[in-house]
Amino acid sequence: MSTTMSGQPTRAGRITFLVSLAVFAQESTWNLYDSQVPPLLREHIGSAALIGLLMGMDNLLGIFIQPWMGNRSDNTRTSWGRRIPYLVVGMPLAALLFLVIPHAAASLPLLILVMFAYALVANSFKPIAESLLPDFIPPQRRSRANAAVKIASSLTVMVAALISIFLIDDFPNLSFAIPAVLMVASVALLAAKLRDSRSPAYRTALEEDRERQGTAAANVRVRVRDVVLDIVRDPNRSRLLLIVAILLFGGAWAASRALMTPYGMEVLDLSRGEAGGLTLPSGVAFIVAAYPVAMLAERFGRLRVMMAGMAVFAAGLVLGTVVQTPTGAVVGLCVAAAGASSFLVNAVVVLWNLAPSDGVVGTYTGLYTVGWVGGGFLGPAVVGGMVDLTSWSLLLIHVAIIAVVAVLTVARVSALQRRSASGRVL
């Protein structure tokens, strides 16, 4: 249990549940979007490259929008807090746009316009919902809270798959309505049960505002540019190196997901469907491992557990290469996913805890996303180029090499933190 500055108790479990529910609803729309919008585009466009370009539009928008919106929420002051007002407006609007997608599919220009509008709105509040966790949860308990959020996010893959299997062919419009309704219901519950004006971080931000009153900085808001320059110019490179590690490991993770189907077909002689199912058991392994690694991180240190998990990720990929059979690939990917959970659960928590003030955690959440999405964009391309130079049989080794570089980067962050006397909970 954490306690607000006014002495009112805030149950960490309740906050975690509400944030997890909001993230679950958001990711349900994103996962169905990723799986079912390409077939709608395919009815109008024959080029796979152009379809991929349009589907990547949301990631490109996210790189620019998420840090800015996270920063905007950091600087917002209302009686309802600084995050909830954006969610109350943004989530219902995104749900409405998502609901319109199948109805707009008859016209390609209209479909692209609705896709753009949905991606714009949904990216705008994504970092805001996630930033509620560090607003309420104290640094020492953030890993387990974020593990619950990651588990909720992972479950949406299964929800989207079930909707695709049982509903999409016969009830395409209803299929899009289900995640939309979930999103509206979750934000209604969030708005009814949570006021982030009561969060410790918000009260700290108000206290910082009062301390600045009467100074030249009283009416100056912290800009994204200021936050980025502070990170880049800091002689202690911990924050910058951590974002680089997020980029690297995000690239390794994305490559291990995106290129597994062609790997299964080229190396393991599987059909397209069989190869596409190679990563499914590893999703379960990730969910099973997420909470235990959070507990280990809070006991032994997040950076230490992250490095161990990333090493396990690389080892799993080496195992999948040594035992080059479908079973070997599945086992290797399960080991890798369990190890990767240590990074996915803890990396953003470390970045939050390295923030100089609770007043910029929304901006830091956006910067985490920039690193992760940037890795997701570059990783498959870089690993694909390495495969072109060698062969598909070495795909998993190439991914493991990038993961090892990420481990070395986190090791450097750990060394810098040991030398500092910041006292931060990492």
Side-chain angles (χ1 to χ4, degrees):
M1 180 181 293
S2 59
T3 305
T4 66
M5 291 178 65
S6 64
Q8 295 176 322
T10 302
R11 294 187 179 278
R14 176 171 169 266
I15 299 299
T16 302
F17 170 77
L18 290 171
V19 175
S20 297
L21 183 64
V23 171
F24 176 84
Q26 293 174 32
E27 293 300 321
S28 292
T29 64
W30 277 118
N31 278 292
L32 194 66
Y33 178 92
D34 289 337
S35 65
Q36 293 304 327
V37 171
L40 298 179
L41 291 171
R42 188 71 180 83
E43 295 176 4
H44 303 279
I45 302 172
S47 169
L50 183 54
I51 291 173
L53 181 65
L54 290 171
M55 289 303 297
M57 173 175 59
D58 60 285
N59 288 324
L60 184 63
L61 285 171
I63 289 175
F64 297 99
I65 293 171
Q66 292 198 28
W68 182 75
M69 284 301 298
N71 177 257
R72 187 174 180 84
S73 71
D74 285 339
N75 291 319
T76 297
R77 305 289 183 264
T78 73
S79 60
W80 216 347
R82 55 182 178 173
R83 318 285 188 202
I84 298 295
Y86 292 100
L87 298 177
V88 168
V89 174
M91 290 180 71
L93 180 56
L96 177 62
L97 290 167
F98 186 76
L99 192 63
V100 171
I101 288 175
H103 299 280
S107 166
L108 179 61
L110 182 59
L111 176 60
I112 294 174
L113 178 62
V114 175
M115 288 171 59
F116 178 83
Y118 166 75
L120 184 67
V121 174
N123 269 302
S124 295
F125 61 79
K126 191 174 188 295
I128 295 174
E130 295 173 2
S131 297
L132 284 169
L133 269 188
D135 281 353
F136 280 95
I137 308 297
Q140 63 270 21
R141 291 180 62 88
R142 287 174 181 172
S143 284
R144 67 182 74 182
N146 195 47
V149 172
K150 291 298 183 183
I151 290 171
S153 179
S154 299
L155 289 173
T156 61
V157 177
M158 300 179 185
V159 171
L162 290 172
I163 292 174
S164 297
I165 292 169
F166 293 109
L167 293 175
I168 199 71
D169 291 331
D170 297 323
F171 308 101
N173 295 341
L174 176 62
S175 298
F176 279 78
I178 293 173
V181 170
L182 282 173
M183 186 180 289
V184 173
S186 70
V187 74
L189 183 61
L190 197 67
K193 297 293 185 180
L194 196 63
R195 294 290 187 275
D196 71 290
S197 57
R198 301 171 184 168
S199 73
Y202 185 75
R203 293 176 181 274
T204 299
L206 291 179
E207 184 63 29
E208 291 173 352
D209 290 345
R210 283 190 289 268
E211 291 174 359
R212 287 198 299 264
Q213 285 180 358
T215 69
N219 296 317
V220 177
R221 299 298 188 186
V222 178
R223 301 171 298 177
V224 176
R225 180 188 176 197
D226 298 328
V227 174
V228 173
L229 287 177
D230 176 57
I231 292 172
V232 172
R233 292 172 177 172
D234 187 0
N236 184 320
R237 298 294 183 182
S238 296
R239 292 174 293 172
L240 182 60
L241 286 172
L242 182 60
I243 293 172
V244 171
I246 292 165
L247 177 79
L248 288 168
F249 197 76
W253 175 258
S256 73
R257 306 277 110 181
L259 300 177
M260 279 309 300
T261 297
Y263 172 83
M265 296 170 68
E266 294 286 339
V267 178
L268 305 177
D269 295 324
L270 299 176
S271 68
R272 180 180 176 183
E274 291 169 337
L278 285 172
T279 58
L280 182 59
S282 64
V284 178
F286 176 92
I287 292 172
V288 171
Y291 198 80
V293 299
M295 299 296 289
L296 289 172
E298 291 180 359
R299 180 172 181 181
F300 298 107
R302 293 182 179 89
L303 292 174
R304 187 179 300 172
V305 171
M306 283 168 59
M307 287 187 287
M310 295 159 75
V312 170
F313 174 82
L317 298 177
V318 172
L319 173 64
T321 303
V322 172
V323 186
Q324 212 159 64
T325 64
T327 300
V330 168
V331 172
L333 288 173
C334 285
V335 172
S341 66
S342 69
F343 188 91
L344 274 73
V345 165
N346 291 297
V348 70
V349 176
V350 174
L351 195 58
W352 286 333
N353 293 353
L354 285 172
S357 165
D358 285 339
V360 294
V361 291
T363 311
Y364 272 59
T365 304
L367 292 176
Y368 169 84
T369 303
V370 169
W372 188 258
V373 171
F377 176 73
L378 294 172
V382 171
V383 173
M386 296 167 75
V387 167
D388 288 340
L389 294 174
T390 55
S391 71
W392 276 103
S393 63
L394 295 178
L395 168 74
L396 299 183
I397 293 294
H398 295 322
V399 177
I401 290 172
I402 295 178
V404 169
V405 176
V407 173
L408 296 176
T409 307
V410 175
R412 179 58 179 166
V413 174
S414 181
L416 289 172
Q417 286 303 300
R418 284 197 302 271
R419 294 176 190 172
S420 71
S422 63
R424 292 189 178 99
V425 181
L426 299 181

